[in-house]
Amino acid sequence: MTNGVKMKLSKLTLACLLATSGVSISSTVNAEITQEFEFGGYVRAGLFYSAENDFKSINGGGQKETLGRLGLEFDDDASLSVGSVWSFDNGNEIRVSAGIDDDASLGYSLEMKGITPTGTLWGGGTGYGKDNYIFMTDFFYTDMSGTGIGIKGYEAGDFLIDVAYIASNRDDDDYDLDDTSFANNENLDNYMHTFNMAVTYNSWEVSLSGKAMVDNWDEDGTEFAETGADITVIYTLDDFFWTGSGQGTIIAQAGRGLGSGNLLGGTINDYNAYAPGSQFQGEHADWAAWHPAAGKATRLISYVDEKDTSARLLVWGGYNFDNGISIFPSLQAQYNDHYENDFGSYDYWASAMARAYFPVNDVMFVQSEVGFVYNNWNGTSSNQKKVTIAPTFIMGTGTVTPEIRLFASYIDNAWTVDEGSDIIIGTQIEVNW
């Protein structure tokens, strides 16, 4: 959030900066400018204990994107971002920002408003598409994070247009790229190129991506898809499915080749590698001893065939009752048709969850969440169920949203046990500013 620090910059200093960059300064040298400093961040940390494991710490009991994140989001997370914004009195703007996450990964971007007739020109590292998000499940149904260049918010009549080129890297550091015993060691560190256009009109948004990855082979030289495409159609309702209150969203997605599986709506990054998609991708530690991909999610994400196809449907929203109680449900499903796969020709999953808020007073409410997921792997099925209750302490300020919560989750067919149920208890903090 902006902390309100503002200062006037001298016209001479700005002119010198622009002159050394080779940019014409005729439209800016006489402008009055204010500089604003921005500082933001996100912190999530918690303790999770399994009753079936004698209340020792766990690595998770199920997938938060299908069952709901409350009481399941065991992975701590933190990020910080800083930036400066120079605002011109003629409406132009320059924004420079940098951020770091808990993996010590540095992100950076530059935005310039006024280069194009409308919209903003941007370049650098980006979380492109991550505004398409279901907060109860932490599900980014489009996540095109990477490094690139683009224009956002370009106005064409009643349409808003975003265009972008994004490069995402399958940087496989598990292999020595100088080891010539691999048939494809020189291509393991490889880029996927994504070209995206998104158009918004009233309640509709359509996002179309074309993708290319030259020599998309595994370490043994097996060839996978080198091209692909996907489309995302989003319809945002004015209320909770024609009830006259709340909010609702319907999302349909489809992709082929490099737009299928875990790459549907996304690029190569850690989030998409582990998010719901194809069950032939994701994390497979049980494959490590014999599978060519060694079961690593970030490697498996690009191992799709040119003719593989995927489709996903999501429906979610929220409704607020007059007594202060709120409920937020989500329905999600994905089907994957595999053209050539040693493990089977298809897989699919479907899930349903809902979160409810029960206010107690100005500084406390009780959250509850239920979830169910059904998985089918080429005819072999499995399912999980979850129920969570979480008394939560809050202090709303309008700009900061801190929460300290206690929770207990019952999970049927939990990952923490070979078979059967488990109870997970713990505490968690979460805040963003």
Side-chain angles (χ1 to χ4, degrees):
M1 280 294 174
T2 301
N3 70 355
V5 177
K6 296 184 177 181
M7 65 191 75
K8 293 291 182 68
L9 296 180
S10 75
K11 298 174 184 177
L12 179 60
T13 301
L14 181 67
C16 291
L17 289 172
L18 295 177
T20 55
S21 67
V23 177
S24 171
I25 60 174
S26 59
S27 64
T28 57
V29 68
N30 294 316
E32 184 175 316
I33 310 158
T34 58
Q35 182 181 1
E36 205 167 342
F37 176 74
E38 295 183 338
F39 176 64
Y42 174 78
V43 174
R44 182 183 70 238
L47 298 170
F48 291 72
Y49 300 114
S50 162
E52 289 296 314
N53 197 27
D54 299 325
F55 293 100
K56 297 175 184 177
S57 61
I58 63 166
N59 290 326
Q63 193 162 31
K64 63 183 179 180
E65 289 91 351
T66 56
L67 293 172
R69 63 196 290 241
L70 193 63
L72 272 184
E73 202 167 29
F74 64 91
D75 52 324
D76 293 346
D77 191 18
S79 61
L80 296 174
S81 62
V82 295
S84 283
V85 182
W86 291 268
S87 299
F88 299 74
D89 62 0
N90 62 2
N92 291 351
E93 185 177 277
I94 300 171
R95 182 186 300 268
V96 180
S97 59
I100 189 168
D101 59 23
D102 57 350
D103 294 323
S105 298
L106 182 65
Y108 42 86
S109 65
L110 170 63
E111 299 180 3
M112 293 186 288
K113 184 177 181 180
I115 298 294
T116 53
T118 62
T120 301
L121 176 68
W122 62 266
T126 176
Y128 188 78
K130 294 190 73 173
D131 50 343
N132 294 324
Y133 169 69
I134 302 176
F135 76 92
M136 310 93 69
T137 59
D138 200 41
F139 194 1
F140 296 91
Y141 49 90
T142 67
D143 182 354
M144 289 169 274
S145 298
T147 302
I149 186 172
I151 298 172
K152 62 181 181 180
Y154 189 91
E155 298 177 13
D158 294 331
F159 296 88
L160 281 179
I161 301 173
D162 297 343
V163 292
Y165 160 74
I166 304 148
S168 55
N169 190 6
R170 187 186 65 191
D171 185 2
D172 204 332
D173 54 7
D174 280 358
Y175 290 97
D176 180 2
L177 300 185
D178 294 325
D179 186 350
T180 57
S181 64
F182 298 117
N184 185 40
N185 65 306
E186 71 273 16
N187 289 317
L188 294 179
D189 185 359
N190 200 351
Y191 279 97
M192 185 176 78
H193 307 277
T194 300
F195 302 88
N196 176 265
M197 173 178 284
V199 180
T200 301
Y201 176 76
N202 292 334
S203 299
W204 291 91
E205 179 182 346
V206 178
S207 174
L208 180 64
S209 292
K211 304 174 183 180
M213 188 174 185
V214 179
D215 296 335
N216 178 21
W217 307 340
D218 68 11
E219 57 273 18
D220 293 327
T222 303
E223 299 183 19
F224 293 94
E226 294 190 349
T227 60
D230 60 53
I231 185 172
T232 297
V233 180
I234 305 169
Y235 180 68
T236 303
L237 286 78
D238 294 329
D239 54 18
F240 183 72
F241 303 100
W242 307 282
T243 60
S245 178
Q247 65 189 73
T249 306
I250 302 171
I251 304 104
Q253 297 177 279
R256 186 176 176 89
L258 288 173
S260 67
N262 282 45
L263 286 174
L264 178 59
T267 53
I268 298 174
N269 58 62
D270 287 342
Y271 178 82
N272 289 330
Y274 291 91
S278 167
Q279 295 173 75
F280 295 101
Q281 297 174 289
E283 184 70 11
H284 287 281
D286 54 323
W287 292 0
W290 58 275
H291 191 268
K296 185 176 180 181
T298 50
R299 190 177 311 135
L300 286 167
I301 191 171
S302 66
Y303 291 178
V304 292
D305 190 87
E306 293 275 3
K307 296 183 179 180
D308 283 3
T309 56
S310 296
R312 182 189 293 154
L313 178 67
L314 307 99
V315 179
W316 76 280
Y319 187 85
N320 304 313
F321 294 90
D322 293 337
N323 59 5
I325 297 174
S326 301
I327 185 169
F328 295 86
S330 179
L331 302 174
Q332 307 168 146
Q334 180 167 336
Y335 182 87
N336 305 289
D337 185 6
H338 304 284
Y339 176 69
E340 291 183 359
N341 194 307
D342 293 337
F343 306 103
S345 60
Y346 68 90
D347 72 282
Y348 62 90
W349 58 269
S351 73
M353 61 78 57
R355 181 186 295 191
Y357 293 86
F358 302 91
V360 176
N361 52 44
D362 290 342
V363 296
M364 181 182 179
F365 61 88
V366 176
Q367 302 181 73
S368 65
E369 204 169 73
V370 296
F372 172 81
V373 61
Y374 173 83
N375 301 294
N376 191 297
W377 181 319
N378 203 47
T380 301
S381 63
S382 63
N383 65 77
Q384 278 188 308
K385 307 178 188 71
K386 186 206 78 164
V387 178
T388 298
I389 186 168
T392 304
F393 301 93
I394 61 172
M395 185 172 290
T397 67
T399 58
V400 183
T401 57
E403 294 187 14
I404 297 177
R405 49 185 173 254
L406 306 171
F407 65 83
S409 294
Y410 169 81
I411 304 176
D412 188 37
N413 294 326
W415 292 350
T416 51
V417 293
D418 292 334
E419 292 183 3
S421 61
D422 196 3
I423 294 176
I424 298 172
I425 64 171
T427 181
Q428 192 177 42
I429 65 166
E430 186 172 23
V431 60
N432 62 71
W433 68 95

